[in-house]
Amino acid sequence: MSDIKTLVKEQYEKIAHQSKMQNETSCCGVGGCGMDYTIFSENYSHLEGYIPEADLGLGCGLPTEHAGIRPGDTVVDLGSGAGNDCFVARQLVGETGKVIGIDMTEAMVERARANTDRLGFNNVEFRLGDIERIPMAADRADVVISNCVLNLVPDKTKAFSEIFRVLKPGGHFCISDVVISGILPEDLRKSAEMYTGCVAGALHKAEYIDIIDRIGFVEIQLLKEKTISIHEELLAQYTDPRGVDGFRNGETGIFSITVRAQKPAKAATACTPGSGCCC
Protein backbone atom coordinates (compact mmCIF):
# COMPACT_ATOMS: atom_id res chain seq x y z
CA MET A 1 0.00 0.00 0.00
CA SER A 2 2.88 2.37 0.71
CA ASP A 3 4.14 1.75 -2.83
CA ILE A 4 0.73 2.73 -4.22
CA LYS A 5 0.68 5.93 -2.17
CA THR A 6 4.18 6.82 -3.34
CA LEU A 7 3.18 6.22 -6.95
CA VAL A 8 0.05 8.35 -6.65
CA LYS A 9 1.94 11.12 -4.90
CA GLU A 10 4.66 11.21 -7.56
CA GLN A 11 2.15 11.33 -10.39
CA TYR A 12 0.06 14.07 -8.81
CA GLU A 13 3.14 16.13 -8.05
CA LYS A 14 3.58 16.23 -11.84
CA ILE A 15 -0.09 17.01 -12.40
CA ALA A 16 0.12 19.99 -10.03
CA HIS A 17 2.50 21.69 -12.45
CA GLN A 18 0.36 21.08 -15.53
CA SER A 19 -2.52 23.00 -17.04
CA LYS A 20 -6.14 21.88 -17.23
CA MET A 21 -5.74 21.28 -20.96
CA GLN A 22 -2.74 18.99 -20.40
CA ASN A 23 -4.56 17.05 -17.71
CA GLU A 24 -7.74 16.57 -19.72
CA THR A 25 -5.88 15.06 -22.65
CA SER A 26 -4.37 12.27 -20.54
CA CYS A 27 -5.57 9.64 -18.09
CA CYS A 28 -6.22 11.43 -14.82
CA GLY A 29 -3.55 13.88 -15.76
CA VAL A 30 -0.22 12.26 -16.65
CA GLY A 31 0.99 10.71 -19.85
CA GLY A 32 -0.88 9.80 -23.02
CA CYS A 33 -2.42 6.55 -21.84
CA GLY A 34 -5.29 6.63 -24.30
CA MET A 35 -8.21 7.02 -21.92
CA ASP A 36 -10.88 9.47 -23.03
CA TYR A 37 -10.54 11.57 -19.89
CA THR A 38 -12.94 14.24 -21.08
CA ILE A 39 -15.70 11.72 -20.31
CA PHE A 40 -14.58 11.82 -16.66
CA SER A 41 -14.52 15.56 -16.20
CA GLU A 42 -17.48 17.87 -15.68
CA ASN A 43 -17.96 21.50 -16.66
CA TYR A 44 -17.68 23.81 -13.64
CA SER A 45 -17.93 27.11 -15.46
CA HIS A 46 -21.63 27.65 -14.62
CA LEU A 47 -21.07 27.32 -10.86
CA GLU A 48 -20.78 30.38 -8.63
CA GLY A 49 -17.38 30.54 -6.98
CA TYR A 50 -15.65 28.78 -9.86
CA ILE A 51 -12.00 29.80 -10.23
CA PRO A 52 -10.54 28.66 -13.58
CA GLU A 53 -6.97 28.74 -12.25
CA ALA A 54 -7.92 26.15 -9.63
CA ASP A 55 -9.53 23.75 -12.11
CA LEU A 56 -7.07 21.08 -13.23
CA GLY A 57 -9.77 19.03 -14.94
CA LEU A 58 -9.34 16.04 -12.63
CA GLY A 59 -12.84 15.48 -11.25
CA CYS A 60 -15.42 12.92 -12.29
CA GLY A 61 -18.50 14.72 -10.98
CA LEU A 62 -19.87 17.85 -9.33
CA PRO A 63 -20.27 16.85 -5.67
CA THR A 64 -20.98 20.41 -4.51
CA GLU A 65 -24.16 20.46 -6.63
CA HIS A 66 -25.65 17.60 -4.60
CA ALA A 67 -24.03 18.18 -1.20
CA GLY A 68 -26.68 20.42 0.33
CA ILE A 69 -24.06 22.85 1.61
CA ARG A 70 -25.60 25.70 3.66
CA PRO A 71 -24.37 29.11 4.81
CA GLY A 72 -22.24 28.76 7.92
CA ASP A 73 -21.28 25.12 7.29
CA THR A 74 -17.81 23.72 7.80
CA VAL A 75 -16.94 21.77 4.66
CA VAL A 76 -13.97 19.41 4.22
CA ASP A 77 -12.75 18.51 0.73
CA LEU A 78 -10.65 15.33 0.56
CA GLY A 79 -8.08 15.36 -2.22
CA SER A 80 -8.58 19.07 -2.77
CA GLY A 81 -5.96 19.53 -5.49
CA ALA A 82 -5.57 23.16 -6.55
CA GLY A 83 -8.76 24.10 -4.69
CA ASN A 84 -11.44 23.85 -7.38
CA ASP A 85 -14.23 22.28 -5.29
CA CYS A 86 -13.17 24.22 -2.20
CA PHE A 87 -13.73 27.57 -3.89
CA VAL A 88 -17.15 26.49 -5.15
CA ALA A 89 -17.99 25.30 -1.62
CA ARG A 90 -16.81 28.63 -0.21
CA GLN A 91 -19.43 30.43 -2.27
CA LEU A 92 -22.08 28.21 -0.67
CA VAL A 93 -20.93 28.47 2.97
CA GLY A 94 -20.56 32.25 2.75
CA GLU A 95 -18.47 34.45 5.02
CA THR A 96 -19.75 32.69 8.16
CA GLY A 97 -18.69 29.24 6.99
CA LYS A 98 -15.34 27.54 6.56
CA VAL A 99 -13.78 25.24 3.96
CA ILE A 100 -10.81 22.96 4.65
CA GLY A 101 -9.03 21.24 1.78
CA ILE A 102 -6.83 18.22 2.46
CA ASP A 103 -4.35 16.75 0.00
CA MET A 104 -1.36 14.40 0.35
CA THR A 105 0.66 16.13 -2.38
CA GLU A 106 2.83 19.06 -1.34
CA ALA A 107 2.75 20.69 -4.77
CA MET A 108 -1.05 20.60 -4.83
CA VAL A 109 -1.29 22.19 -1.39
CA GLU A 110 1.19 24.88 -2.41
CA ARG A 111 -0.76 25.65 -5.59
CA ALA A 112 -4.06 25.78 -3.67
CA ARG A 113 -2.59 28.09 -1.02
CA ALA A 114 -1.20 30.36 -3.72
CA ASN A 115 -4.66 30.58 -5.27
CA THR A 116 -6.16 31.40 -1.86
CA ASP A 117 -3.60 34.11 -1.16
CA ARG A 118 -4.14 35.66 -4.59
CA LEU A 119 -7.91 35.71 -4.07
CA GLY A 120 -7.67 37.04 -0.52
CA PHE A 121 -9.96 34.42 1.00
CA ASN A 122 -9.75 34.15 4.79
CA ASN A 123 -12.14 31.24 5.38
CA VAL A 124 -10.47 28.63 3.16
CA GLU A 125 -7.42 26.69 4.27
CA PHE A 126 -5.43 23.80 2.85
CA ARG A 127 -3.73 21.11 4.90
CA LEU A 128 -1.21 18.47 3.90
CA GLY A 129 -2.56 15.11 4.98
CA ASP A 130 -3.55 11.52 4.24
CA ILE A 131 -7.21 10.62 3.72
CA GLU A 132 -6.63 7.44 5.74
CA ARG A 133 -5.59 9.69 8.65
CA ILE A 134 -7.43 12.97 8.17
CA PRO A 135 -5.57 15.75 10.03
CA MET A 136 -8.45 17.14 12.07
CA ALA A 137 -10.34 16.35 15.25
CA ALA A 138 -13.54 14.32 15.41
CA ASP A 139 -17.03 15.80 14.94
CA ARG A 140 -15.89 18.97 13.17
CA ALA A 141 -17.38 18.89 9.66
CA ASP A 142 -20.97 19.51 8.60
CA VAL A 143 -20.23 18.22 5.09
CA VAL A 144 -17.40 16.20 3.56
CA ILE A 145 -16.93 16.28 -0.21
CA SER A 146 -14.46 14.56 -2.52
CA ASN A 147 -14.10 14.36 -6.29
CA CYS A 148 -12.51 11.37 -8.03
CA VAL A 149 -10.02 10.72 -5.21
CA LEU A 150 -11.13 7.85 -2.97
CA ASN A 151 -10.57 5.38 -5.82
CA LEU A 152 -6.86 6.20 -5.41
CA VAL A 153 -6.85 5.37 -1.68
CA PRO A 154 -5.64 1.82 -0.95
CA ASP A 155 -7.71 1.27 2.23
CA LYS A 156 -11.17 2.58 1.39
CA THR A 157 -12.70 1.20 4.60
CA LYS A 158 -10.24 3.26 6.62
CA ALA A 159 -10.95 6.33 4.47
CA PHE A 160 -14.70 6.11 5.03
CA SER A 161 -14.11 5.45 8.74
CA GLU A 162 -12.16 8.71 8.87
CA ILE A 163 -14.95 10.55 7.07
CA PHE A 164 -17.36 9.18 9.67
CA ARG A 165 -15.05 10.31 12.49
CA VAL A 166 -14.63 13.93 11.35
CA LEU A 167 -18.30 14.49 10.52
CA LYS A 168 -20.53 15.96 13.19
CA PRO A 169 -23.45 13.73 14.26
CA GLY A 170 -26.11 14.39 11.63
CA GLY A 171 -23.51 15.60 9.13
CA HIS A 172 -23.17 14.05 5.70
CA PHE A 173 -20.80 13.46 2.81
CA CYS A 174 -21.26 13.84 -0.94
CA ILE A 175 -18.61 12.10 -3.03
CA SER A 176 -18.04 11.66 -6.75
CA ASP A 177 -15.86 8.65 -7.51
CA VAL A 178 -15.08 5.84 -9.95
CA VAL A 179 -16.48 2.32 -9.57
CA ILE A 180 -16.67 -0.78 -11.74
CA SER A 181 -19.05 -3.56 -12.65
CA GLY A 182 -17.99 -7.03 -13.68
CA ILE A 183 -14.38 -8.17 -13.33
CA LEU A 184 -11.49 -6.04 -14.57
CA PRO A 185 -8.71 -7.92 -16.36
CA GLU A 186 -5.94 -8.84 -13.91
CA ASP A 187 -3.21 -7.10 -15.93
CA LEU A 188 -5.26 -3.90 -15.95
CA ARG A 189 -5.75 -4.06 -12.17
CA LYS A 190 -2.00 -4.46 -11.66
CA SER A 191 -1.13 -1.57 -13.96
CA ALA A 192 0.43 1.44 -12.26
CA GLU A 193 -0.66 3.57 -15.20
CA MET A 194 -4.28 2.56 -14.77
CA TYR A 195 -4.13 2.94 -11.00
CA THR A 196 -3.07 6.57 -11.17
CA GLY A 197 -5.54 6.87 -14.05
CA CYS A 198 -8.35 6.28 -11.53
CA VAL A 199 -9.35 2.86 -12.87
CA ALA A 200 -7.33 -0.01 -11.42
CA GLY A 201 -7.97 1.11 -7.84
CA ALA A 202 -11.73 1.34 -8.28
CA LEU A 203 -14.04 -1.01 -6.36
CA HIS A 204 -17.10 -2.82 -7.60
CA LYS A 205 -20.10 -0.52 -7.11
CA ALA A 206 -21.86 -2.92 -4.73
CA GLU A 207 -18.71 -3.30 -2.61
CA TYR A 208 -18.27 0.47 -2.48
CA ILE A 209 -21.82 1.01 -1.22
CA ASP A 210 -21.47 -1.92 1.21
CA ILE A 211 -18.42 -0.30 2.87
CA ILE A 212 -20.40 2.90 3.38
CA ASP A 213 -23.23 0.92 4.95
CA ARG A 214 -20.96 -1.15 7.22
CA ILE A 215 -19.20 1.93 8.54
CA GLY A 216 -22.53 3.07 9.93
CA PHE A 217 -23.76 5.71 7.49
CA VAL A 218 -27.48 6.01 6.85
CA GLU A 219 -29.68 7.53 4.13
CA ILE A 220 -27.30 6.27 1.43
CA GLN A 221 -28.27 7.69 -1.96
CA LEU A 222 -26.76 7.05 -5.39
CA LEU A 223 -27.49 10.40 -7.00
CA LYS A 224 -25.76 10.14 -10.37
CA GLU A 225 -24.06 7.52 -12.53
CA LYS A 226 -22.23 7.95 -15.83
CA THR A 227 -20.42 5.42 -18.01
CA ILE A 228 -16.70 5.99 -18.64
CA SER A 229 -15.17 4.63 -21.83
CA ILE A 230 -11.66 3.32 -22.43
CA HIS A 231 -10.39 3.01 -25.97
CA GLU A 232 -10.34 -0.57 -27.19
CA GLU A 233 -6.74 -0.12 -28.33
CA LEU A 234 -5.77 0.57 -24.73
CA LEU A 235 -7.82 -2.33 -23.38
CA ALA A 236 -6.08 -4.66 -25.81
CA GLN A 237 -2.79 -3.94 -24.02
CA TYR A 238 -4.19 -5.40 -20.79
CA THR A 239 -6.58 -8.14 -21.85
CA ASP A 240 -7.38 -10.63 -24.58
CA PRO A 241 -10.14 -10.18 -27.19
CA ARG A 242 -12.65 -11.83 -24.85
CA GLY A 243 -11.90 -9.20 -22.21
CA VAL A 244 -12.35 -6.40 -24.75
CA ASP A 245 -15.67 -7.95 -25.73
CA GLY A 246 -16.70 -7.86 -22.06
CA PHE A 247 -16.40 -4.07 -22.08
CA ARG A 248 -18.08 -3.81 -25.45
CA ASN A 249 -21.16 -5.86 -24.52
CA GLY A 250 -21.56 -4.43 -21.02
CA GLU A 251 -20.39 -7.40 -18.93
CA THR A 252 -17.64 -5.15 -17.57
CA GLY A 253 -17.98 -1.42 -17.07
CA ILE A 254 -16.41 1.63 -15.46
CA PHE A 255 -18.61 4.39 -14.06
CA SER A 256 -18.41 7.70 -12.29
CA ILE A 257 -20.96 7.94 -9.49
CA THR A 258 -22.03 10.59 -7.02
CA VAL A 259 -23.13 9.18 -3.67
CA ARG A 260 -24.41 10.89 -0.54
CA ALA A 261 -24.85 9.48 2.98
CA GLN A 262 -25.36 10.77 6.51
CA LYS A 263 -23.75 10.12 9.86
CA PRO A 264 -26.54 9.33 12.33
CA ALA A 265 -27.51 12.17 14.65
CA LYS A 266 -26.61 9.93 17.58
CA ALA A 267 -23.66 8.09 16.10
CA ALA A 268 -21.56 5.31 17.55
CA THR A 269 -17.89 4.92 16.73
CA ALA A 270 -17.28 4.07 13.08
CA CYS A 271 -16.94 0.37 12.35
CA THR A 272 -13.32 -0.43 11.47
CA PRO A 273 -11.57 -3.78 11.00
CA GLY A 274 -10.25 -5.18 14.28
CA SER A 275 -12.46 -2.96 16.41
CA GLY A 276 -14.69 -5.84 17.50
CA CYS A 277 -17.81 -4.38 15.90
CA CYS A 278 -19.96 -5.78 13.12
CA CYS A 279 -17.27 -5.58 10.45
Side-chain angles (χ1 to χ4, degrees):
M1 288 189 180
S2 61
D3 290 342
I4 290 174
K5 287 185 179 180
T6 299
L7 173 67
V8 170
K9 187 173 181 179
E10 288 175 350
Q11 292 294 75
Y12 279 78
E13 288 280 352
K14 297 175 184 176
I15 291 170
H17 298 292
Q18 294 182 168
S19 67
K20 181 175 185 286
M21 182 176 294
Q22 287 174 300
N23 293 331
E24 285 185 330
T25 54
S26 59
C27 61
C28 262
V30 176
C33 76
M35 186 184 299
D36 189 352
Y37 188 75
T38 58
I39 295 179
F40 270 98
S41 60
E42 298 273 1
N43 182 8
Y44 273 76
S45 61
H46 65 288
L47 299 179
E48 289 190 53
Y50 173 65
I51 307 297
E53 295 81 2
D55 184 4
L56 299 182
L58 301 176
C60 57
L62 296 172
T64 52
E65 278 201 326
H66 304 279
I69 297 170
R70 300 170 298 182
D73 277 349
T74 295
V75 177
V76 176
D77 180 19
L78 302 178
S80 48
N84 190 28
D85 288 287
C86 286
F87 297 135
V88 174
R90 178 190 177 275
Q91 182 70 28
L92 297 170
V93 303
E95 294 297 331
T96 61
K98 183 174 184 178
V99 181
I100 302 169
I102 295 170
D103 203 286
M104 68 179 289
T105 307
E106 289 89 342
M108 286 292 190
V109 173
E110 290 172 4
R111 184 163 178 172
R113 287 173 176 169
N115 284 328
T116 305
D117 291 343
R118 178 178 57 80
L119 295 163
F121 295 155
N122 59 11
N123 61 341
V124 182
E125 68 170 282
F126 294 92
R127 301 178 184 177
L128 185 67
D130 192 323
I131 294 174
E132 293 175 7
R133 296 184 64 183
I134 298 173
M136 60 186 301
D139 303 333
R140 291 293 189 269
D142 295 290
V143 183
V144 171
I145 59 174
S146 187
N147 197 347
C148 207
V149 174
L150 265 69
N151 57 80
L152 300 169
V153 177
D155 190 340
K156 293 169 181 59
T157 297
K158 180 61 176 173
F160 277 109
S161 296
E162 281 290 275
I163 293 171
F164 192 99
R165 181 183 66 82
V166 303
L167 278 169
K168 298 175 182 177
H172 64 274
F173 73 74
C174 188
I175 290 171
S176 295
D177 211 353
V178 176
V179 296
I180 63 169
S181 64
I183 301 174
L184 289 184
E186 187 64 20
D187 286 350
L188 189 151
R189 276 202 167 274
K190 291 179 178 179
S191 167
E193 176 182 63
M194 300 307 288
Y195 197 98
T196 57
C198 304
V199 173
L203 294 180
H204 193 283
K205 180 170 63 175
E207 183 181 2
Y208 193 96
I209 299 299
D210 183 60
I211 288 174
I212 295 169
D213 180 59
R214 285 189 291 110
I215 292 299
F217 288 102
V218 296
E219 304 295 331
I220 302 169
Q221 298 173 278
L222 184 59
L223 301 172
K224 189 174 181 180
E225 181 174 314
K226 181 174 67 173
T227 301
I228 295 168
S229 67
I230 300 179
H231 296 169
E232 291 188 6
E233 294 83 356
L234 176 63
L235 288 173
Q237 299 176 29
Y238 298 99
T239 187
D240 55 26
R242 183 177 178 181
V244 174
D245 287 341
F247 278 90
R248 188 185 295 128
N249 63 30
E251 292 176 4
T252 306
I254 301 171
F255 308 90
S256 68
I257 62 170
T258 298
V259 61
R260 174 172 165 163
Q262 181 178 324
K263 179 175 177 176
K266 294 183 178 179
T269 303
C271 179
T272 54
S275 66
C277 64
C278 60
C279 290

